[in-house]
């Protein structure tokens, strides 16, 4: 970097890593062409350190989600998106170079955040729709996010920066986080997942009876912390007046989310909490109530469900294509449609439903 460029944000991150690793010189992977000038990689750089405790691993930290140089945004409380990502990945003691796939994964997360504007926060989770290491047979197909236990938030001249650690998780662990709690599962796995280090070779933590029992107990006692679920296949058609009756309204959603929604109906509405399903064009707010009804606007549907409807619907929602007509509520039917999982090039790699 040129000495003429004020790099207070960059220096603050680097200073935090020096406090942690002293004189260790990290492996640093910079970006040749800035993203703003048409480059492929949105992050200015990624530094990787060799960590030894609690077991040998690579410790990645990004430079680019926050404002590294001069202050550009109007938000003086937070620097850029207000966070940088970290990743802790198992390392063989003889290993001298961090794996390239992990660098690519972090840059892909940069593309996701920069293109969507979605801020990643501790407690979040994200389905990768396939192995987090492309081409591998790892069971880790999703990501969870937590605070990095060794890196407290920074207060830089450009605003606050939080270090958010990315953790590879399995499909059933993702489901447990949705239907219970990200932190609940991570705490239950604490002894077997030290420092939240990602290990491509590991099996699901839910295969451990004590952890599976803790998850089920948490779901039963606490319900779900997931109040908002992104559903890419979501639509609503209001009922139409007929000569002697009114046809039912139709709520459509993808098979991939149907089973999860069924569980969330139990974990949210049965606990007296709302659940919002949201796509790019529509929000459907599901609310518990004494009587079932719905209100339809252009981009928001408010669907109140009585206890017997919640019970019936939660038992019927499965990840398969079908039309659900409820015995307990005739004004709305549920259409579950096939979900096509696509790769980065837009090719269908699998179909659910």
């Amino acid at each position: 970097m040129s000495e003429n460029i004020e790099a207070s944000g960059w220096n603050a991150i680097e200073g935090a890593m020096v406090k942690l690793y002293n004189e260790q010189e990290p492996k640093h992977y910079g970006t040749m062409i800035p993203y703003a000038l048409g480059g492929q990689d949105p992050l200015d750089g990624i530094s990787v350190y060799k960590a030894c405790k609690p077991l040998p691993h690579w410790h990645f930290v990004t430079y680019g989600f926050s404002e590294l140089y001069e202050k550009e945004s109007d938000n003086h409380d937070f620097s850029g998106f207000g966070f940088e990502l970290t990743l802790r990945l198992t390392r063989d003691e003889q290993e001298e170079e961090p794996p390239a796939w992990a660098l690519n994964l972090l840059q892909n997360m940069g593309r996701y955040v920069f293109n969507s504007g979605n801020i990643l926060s501790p407690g979040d989770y994200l389905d990768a729709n396939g192995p987090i290491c492309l081409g591998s047979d790892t069971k880790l197909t999703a990501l969870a996010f937590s605070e990095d236990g060794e890196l407290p938030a920074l207060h830089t001249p450009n605003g606050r920066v939080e270090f958010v650690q990315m953790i590879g998780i399995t499909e059933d662990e993702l489901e447990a986080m949705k239907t219970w709690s990200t932190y609940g599962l991570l705490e239950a796995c604490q002894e077997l997942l030290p420092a939240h280090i990602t290990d491509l070779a590991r099996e699901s933590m839910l295969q451990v009876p004590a952890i599976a029992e803790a998850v089920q107990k948490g779901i039963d006692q606490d319900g779900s912390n997931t109040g908002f679920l992104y559903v890419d296949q979501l639509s609503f058609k209001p009922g139409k007046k007929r000569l002697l009756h009114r046809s039912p309204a139709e709520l459509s959603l993808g098979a991939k989310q149907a089973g999860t929604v069924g569980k969330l109906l139990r974990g949210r509405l049965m606990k007296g909490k709302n659940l919002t399903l949201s796509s790019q064009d529509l929000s459907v707010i599901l609310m518990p109530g004494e009587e079932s009804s719905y209100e339809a606007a252009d981009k928001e549907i408010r669907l109140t469900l009585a206890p017997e409807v919640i019970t019936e619907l939660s038992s019927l929602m499965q990840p398969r294509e079908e039309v659900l007509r409820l015995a307990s509520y005739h004004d709305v039917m549920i259409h579950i449609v096939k979900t096509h999982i696509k790769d980065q090039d837009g090719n269908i790699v699998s179909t659910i439903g």
Side-chain angles (χ1 to χ4, degrees):
M1 290 181 292
S2 168
E3 293 182 0
N4 295 325
I5 298 176
E6 177 64 35
S8 58
W10 185 295
N11 293 337
I13 298 169
E14 199 169 62
M17 302 311 293
V18 169
K19 286 182 181 179
L20 190 57
Y21 291 106
N22 299 315
E23 299 301 320
Q24 182 183 152
E25 189 69 26
K27 304 278 186 180
H28 186 77
Y29 302 85
T31 301
M32 295 296 293
I33 303 175
Y35 197 60
L37 298 179
Q40 296 293 316
D41 297 327
L43 303 177
D44 285 31
I46 301 170
S47 285
V48 192
Y49 295 80
K50 279 186 177 181
C52 298
K53 296 180 180 180
L55 53 88
H57 65 277
W58 297 108
H59 192 185
F60 298 74
V61 61
T62 64
Y63 290 77
F65 291 104
S66 62
E67 290 167 296
L68 303 174
Y69 313 109
E70 295 179 354
K71 182 68 180 176
E72 296 181 0
S73 71
D74 295 329
N75 189 335
H76 295 283
D77 294 330
F78 294 96
S79 174
F81 290 106
F83 72 92
E84 292 291 349
L85 282 179
T86 73
L87 170 67
R88 295 176 184 268
L89 183 66
T90 52
R91 171 178 61 86
D92 292 335
E93 292 193 13
Q94 298 78 21
E95 202 173 3
E96 292 300 326
E97 296 291 334
W101 70 263
L103 300 169
N104 292 332
L105 177 61
L106 288 164
Q107 288 288 3
N108 282 335
M109 295 307 301
R111 295 183 189 97
Y112 166 75
V113 172
F114 277 70
N115 291 334
S116 68
N118 293 337
I119 294 174
L120 299 171
S121 301
D124 288 348
Y125 45 72
L126 188 67
D127 193 345
N129 290 323
I132 62 171
C133 174
L134 293 178
S136 74
D137 59 357
T138 181
K139 301 286 198 325
L140 307 184
T141 59
L143 300 163
F145 300 89
S146 179
E147 297 93 348
D148 189 305
E150 291 188 312
L151 291 171
L154 296 175
H155 296 278
T156 77
N158 293 333
R160 177 184 167 91
V161 179
E162 188 173 25
F163 291 99
V164 179
Q165 184 175 333
M166 189 165 68
I167 309 156
I169 58 173
T170 63
E171 183 178 4
D172 57 348
E173 290 166 356
L174 172 65
E175 190 74 5
M177 289 179 177
K178 289 179 180 178
T179 53
W180 181 29
S181 160
T182 300
Y183 283 121
L185 180 60
L186 290 177
E187 186 174 343
C189 299
Q190 193 169 11
E191 291 186 8
L192 298 179
L193 200 65
H196 300 155
I197 296 171
T198 294
D199 180 358
L200 290 181
R202 76 171 178 85
E203 299 292 330
S204 168
M205 294 292 175
L206 295 179
Q207 292 186 8
V208 179
I211 293 176
E213 183 179 340
V215 169
Q216 190 56 55
K217 183 178 179 181
I219 293 172
D220 293 341
Q221 288 184 349
D222 308 329
S224 172
N225 283 345
T226 302
F228 176 94
L229 185 68
Y230 182 80
V231 180
D232 52 4
Q233 296 169 276
L234 187 67
S235 64
F236 188 87
K237 296 179 182 177
K240 295 182 179 179
K241 290 184 179 180
R242 303 297 186 188
L243 184 60
L244 298 176
H245 68 285
R246 186 182 185 90
S247 65
E250 180 180 317
L251 174 64
S252 296
L253 71 154
K256 178 176 175 60
Q257 290 92 6
T260 301
V261 172
K263 294 176 182 177
L264 289 177
L265 289 171
R266 295 191 291 274
R268 295 291 300 181
L269 274 70
M270 286 185 178
K271 298 290 185 180
K273 305 173 184 177
N274 293 351
L275 171 65
T276 298
L277 309 179
S278 185
S279 68
Q280 289 185 342
D281 304 314
L282 181 68
S283 289
V284 178
I285 303 172
L286 305 175
M287 303 174 292
E290 295 183 3
E291 296 183 0
S292 297
S293 63
Y294 73 87
E295 300 175 17
D298 286 343
K299 294 189 175 183
E300 182 179 282
I301 309 300
R302 302 179 71 86
L303 184 56
T304 302
L305 301 178
E308 63 273 14
V309 180
I310 299 170
T311 300
E312 181 183 6
L313 187 56
S314 64
S315 67
L316 294 175
M317 297 283 280
Q318 298 294 328
R320 58 173 177 259
E321 185 179 33
E322 62 180 329
V323 176
L324 304 177
R325 291 181 170 85
L326 304 176
S328 55
Y329 185 41
H330 301 292
D331 290 351
V332 175
M333 64 181 184
I334 312 297
H335 187 190
I336 301 173
V337 299
K338 292 181 184 294
T339 297
H340 300 295
I341 305 298
K342 299 180 180 180
D343 61 19
Q344 292 181 338
D345 299 321
N347 302 312
I348 297 175
V349 295
S350 65
T351 298
I352 301 173

